Amino acid sequence: MRLTEEQLVGWGERIGREVGAPLFLALRGDLGAGKSVLARAVARGAGVRQAMPSPTFNLLFRYEVGRSSVVHIDLYRLERPGDVMALGWRELGAGDEIVLVEWPDRAGDLLPPDRWDITLTEAGPRLREVRMVPRGAPRQIPLPVPERET
């Protein structure tokens, strides 16, 4: 389904607000597809109020929200799936965490079995095509509200 950037942000905030932890979202798409926009919106919905810089160079940022955490990871710069272990990969999602991973393909077979794969593709000026695929038995997330046909 197609979403404007505003709808993508609204959907992300609903996910963070309504679903909570534990949740693992694997965010897929080309550069500029909106992965970081969606990740920040989910985090805001979950209660993160501070600025959220891109984790491209730091790889991982953790934000404490009450008794849970939001973890935002960008694996773009990793060369091998095993490199994720240095990030504490095995412990991610083990507790009350919302884990948002950009470029999840870099983790290979190390991705958790229970997750949502969300693929974003550019579908025009300020429009994104969104594809959601549940893997295993992840917690349910709300459906996005699609762009209306005019």
Side-chain angles (χ1 to χ4, degrees):
M1 65 187 66
R2 288 183 176 197
L3 300 178
T4 64
E5 187 170 324
E6 293 78 19
Q7 291 168 325
L8 183 66
V9 168
W11 177 52
E13 289 175 351
R14 279 187 57 215
I15 292 171
R17 186 174 53 251
E18 296 176 14
V19 179
L23 181 64
F24 193 104
L25 301 180
L27 306 175
R28 302 171 186 278
D30 292 335
L31 287 170
K35 298 178 299 295
S36 293
V37 169
L38 181 58
R40 287 183 183 105
V42 172
R44 273 194 307 279
V48 174
R49 296 294 169 245
Q50 67 233 56
M52 293 182 64
S54 173
T56 300
F57 294 103
N58 291 33
L59 303 181
L60 182 147
F61 285 113
R62 180 180 307 271
Y63 304 92
E64 301 302 323
V65 182
R67 286 183 254 159
S68 63
S69 300
V70 174
V71 182
H72 186 194
I73 305 169
D74 187 329
L75 302 179
Y76 182 75
R77 295 179 352 142
L78 295 187
E79 295 181 19
R80 296 177 303 281
D83 292 345
V84 299
M85 293 307 179
L87 300 174
W89 187 260
R90 291 217 191 280
E91 293 79 29
L92 288 176
D96 285 335
E97 292 181 332
I98 295 174
V99 181
L100 310 163
V101 178
E102 298 184 41
W103 302 97
D105 293 342
R106 303 284 206 270
D109 293 338
L110 298 173
L111 288 171
D114 299 327
R115 68 179 189 273
W116 282 95
D117 285 350
I118 298 175
T119 303
L120 302 171
T121 53
E122 203 167 336
R126 300 183 49 84
L127 277 179
R128 299 295 180 261
E129 186 73 32
V130 178
R131 186 168 159 256
M132 308 165 29
V133 178
R135 303 288 181 196
R139 294 182 71 174
Q140 285 301 112
I141 61 175
L143 292 174
V145 177
E147 172 70 9
R148 293 186 188 163
E149 298 293 323
T150 56

